[in-house]
Amino acid sequence: MTSSSSHPRPDEVARVTSEAAELLEVLWGRASTAPVSASQIRVLFILEHNDGINLRMLAEALGSTPPSTSRLCDRLQAVGFVERKPSVSSRRELRLQLSRRGRSFLAELRARREAALQSVLEQMPVRNRTALLEGLEAFCAAASAEIHEGDESSSDVRSA
């Protein structure tokens, strides 16, 4: 951090965090995500945590349109990562879920990403890794709280 103060301002931390995120993208890019794009990986992550959602809900989660989301799912289904199954409550509605192959892909992707990160973290002094871990745990808790706060206010709109 470039701040000379022991109490960094949120804007300073945001700048460095953004830079770290960009570097993470480079490291993760080296870990390869083939045969899927970054947008398709995002779909897989959403489906992993929202098994059985419908296309409309997935489109909302992506901030996209149903036709665009459907095309993403078509490609993921073609490589065997996503399955479409009829809804038990409506014959017209399809539920989306990860296939066994999709779950395996995500596990392998995470392992490659963690290996790429581990090689960087091994170069850091233990005290810096400890501080990073504590900071990231606090960041994850705060980000999760903010994300879920937004989910609660829109839960009425998200019903199928």
Side-chain angles (χ1 to χ4, degrees), residues 128-144:
N128 290 10
R129 283 197 309 260
T130 301
L132 177 62
L133 179 60
E134 291 172 0
L136 287 173
E137 287 172 339
F139 175 84
C140 289
S144 181

Side-chain angles (χ1 to χ4, degrees), residues 52-57 84-96 158-160:
I53 65 173
N54 63 27
L55 187 66
R56 182 184 54 76
M57 291 173 67
R84 289 179 165 123
K85 297 195 175 187
S87 169
V88 293
S89 60
S90 170
R91 293 186 328 193
R92 294 181 351 176
E93 186 174 283
L94 292 175
R95 295 291 178 182
L96 302 166
R158 302 184 109 199
S159 61

